[in-house]
Amino acid sequence: MRILQNIWNQFKEYLVLVFLLLISVLLISRSDHPSVKNLKTTTFGTFAFVTSFFSDVIPSTGLKSENTKLRKQNAELMLEVNKLREYGIENVELKNLLSMKDTIAYQLIPAAVILKSFSTDQTTFTLDKGKEEGIKAGMAVITGEGLVGVIDQSSEDFSLVKTLKHLNFRVVVKDQRSRFQGILHWTGSQLIISNLPKTSEIKLGDRIITSELSSFIGQPFPIGIVKKIINPDEGYFNNVLIKPFVEIEKVENVFIVAAIPHKIKNSVELNFYNSGDK
Amino acid sequence: MKFDKILPFIYFIPVLLIQVVIVPYFELSGIVPDLILILIVFYTLKFGQLYGIILAFILGGITDFSTGSILGSSMFTKTLSAFIAGYFFNENQTVSIIKSPLFLGIIFLSSLVNAISFSLISNFDISLNIFSLIFEEGMIPAIYTTIIASIVMIFFPKRSYI
């Protein structure tokens, strides 16, 4: 107790300064002002450069077990790809017959997570790929299990991912079975689809995927399954709790979907999204 | 003594009004002196570093709220400036410091830190070079604030009421 008293007496100015500056930085970081975004981009770019050096040097502890898991997943995917290839050929033939155009074009860019934020309500990742690899704000970030988040900012060599577990993350999703659509968001402790009409036919265990109506994720990426339906006595809406497929805290390697879901839609909506960064 | 420590909060209201309403008329190429900083440095030198830090944090917060600037920006910069000014606090020489040229030096130093850090937060541009950051965004506002502080110093009453 006396030691603490001594420390306080000796360093109280420094302790108070650090505490007050931390509060200020916290408040500043919540701002959406363009200059704050620029500052964040530069800061995380610089910080990520240093972190990437250490993450390259220090091997990951879970690498061995993840390799085993990935090999198994690879084999399973290979079998699935064979099956899907058949469906793909069939699909092209059918589309040709119907004279439909395939507007979806995308490529997967592998990236490693080099930094994770510790905030439970604003989980962000820093990836080791940036503008040089063609990464842009708004691109979807996935793993083999499903959607992780979207690219929020990118510097030349690094990118910042706003994950599903971020208060400002919103994405239009749908129930794969009943096709009901809703907006998914993170409350700080739960992943939730709120304000769904009580008439919506959503059941426990239903798969939730991103909707093609989403502004910047125009493809059906798996999100999770319905864990709980909160049905309040009053009002006309239900809330649905989602258990995500991806364990955000454990993600180490991801793919960035360099997707252009629809060129016209993209030029209107993605540009609008990007205009917020300027 | 306790009432003395509340005084800056009372003086802050007219100073903030002057800063927001009148000072913009005296802008030189978009640069204005920072009267709130002068008030903070003055009271930091009078009551010490810890008092100054807390005062600066509170007044910075009110400034952010009332001027619509990025919440936390003035809190951060003013707190940092008060911390620097606080290094020059000497309990036995409060009045002599405030009336000496050292006061202007402290104002200049604090104002420089305040202006540079504020510029980094609120006008950060990736193309900004270190030269323009220090001179255009830091030195010039600091000199302007120091000139205004020198006027305050000249008219500082022989018997302190503040």
Side-chain angles (χ1 to χ4, degrees), chain B residues 78-100:
Chain B
K78 298 278 188 294
T79 307
L80 202 60
S81 304
F83 179 75
I84 289 161
Y87 272 113
F88 299 91
F89 169 68
N90 187 330
E91 212 168 349
N92 304 318
Q93 295 177 352
T94 305
V95 178
S96 61
I97 288 175
I98 291 168
K99 287 182 176 178
S100 72

Side-chain angles (χ1 to χ4, degrees), chain B residues 2 6 14 21 35 38 44 67-68 73-74 84 89 93 102-103 111 116 125 131 136 145 156 159 162:
Chain B
K2 276 184 182 174
I6 300 166
V21 180
L35 302 186
I38 299 173
T44 304
T67 59
S73 57
S74 294
I84 289 161
F89 169 68
Q93 295 177 352
L102 180 62
F103 176 63
S111 184
I116 290 174
D125 185 353
F131 179 83
E136 284 175 29
T145 305
F156 185 77
R159 188 181 159 196
I162 52 176

Side-chain angles (χ1 to χ4, degrees), chain A residues 5-184:
Chain A
Q5 183 90 40
N6 284 340
I7 291 171
W8 170 251
N9 287 338
Q10 213 170 343
F11 300 108
K12 61 186 171 193
E13 287 86 2
Y14 296 92
L15 294 172
V16 172
L17 176 77
V18 170
F19 177 69
L20 296 181
L21 289 184
L22 279 176
I23 294 173
S24 311
V25 169
L26 196 71
L27 290 170
I28 293 166
S29 69
R30 304 236 161 191
S31 168
D32 277 338
H33 195 275
S35 64
V36 174
K37 280 195 167 186
N38 280 342
L39 186 63
K40 274 187 198 172
T41 309
T42 312
T43 311
F44 96 77
T46 314
F47 192 57
F49 176 75
V50 178
T51 317
S52 67
F53 172 76
F54 287 104
S55 64
D56 285 347
V57 173
I58 302 164
S60 173
T61 47
L63 213 57
K64 208 169 182 179
S65 63
E66 193 177 354
N67 271 343
T68 316
K69 200 174 147 191
L70 283 173
R71 275 200 293 272
K72 188 177 174 237
Q73 199 177 26
N74 193 33
E76 286 168 355
L77 286 172
M78 186 266 291
L79 295 170
E80 202 166 333
V81 163
N82 266 343
K83 203 163 66 179
L84 288 173
R85 198 169 282 153
E86 290 298 314
Y87 291 150
I89 294 164
E90 198 179 353
N91 189 31
V92 170
E93 285 171 358
L94 289 171
K95 274 188 174 174
N96 285 338
L97 285 172
L98 292 167
S99 303
M100 281 173 70
K101 287 176 186 172
D102 193 350
T103 53
I104 296 172
Y106 62 88
Q107 63 172 113
L108 296 179
I109 303 167
V113 177
I114 54 170
L115 189 70
K116 290 179 185 178
S117 78
F118 295 102
S119 169
T120 51
D121 56 355
Q122 293 195 358
T123 306
T124 54
F125 294 164
T126 304
L127 305 181
D128 65 347
K129 296 280 166 66
K131 281 179 187 165
E132 276 187 4
E133 284 81 12
I135 313 295
K136 291 176 187 168
M139 285 181 171
V141 179
I142 60 166
T143 66
E145 286 84 28
L147 185 73
V148 173
V150 289
I151 299 289
D152 188 40
Q153 295 165 37
S154 56
S155 66
E156 287 305 313
D157 302 310
F158 303 98
S159 301
L160 189 72
V161 181
K162 192 188 283 180
T163 68
L164 294 174
K165 293 186 175 180
H166 191 291
L167 285 175
N168 294 338
F169 185 88
R170 298 279 188 283
V171 66
V172 184
V173 294
K174 66 180 178 188
D175 185 316
Q176 204 168 24
R177 184 186 55 80
S178 69
R179 320 307 281 178
F180 262 96
Q181 315 248 359
I183 295 174
L184 179 90

Side-chain angles (χ1 to χ4, degrees), chain A residues 186-201:
Chain A
W186 175 249
T187 62
S189 58
Q190 289 165 326
L191 207 54
I192 203 163
I193 306 172
S194 52
N195 297 333
L196 273 173
K198 285 193 173 179
T199 51
S200 54
E201 295 164 7

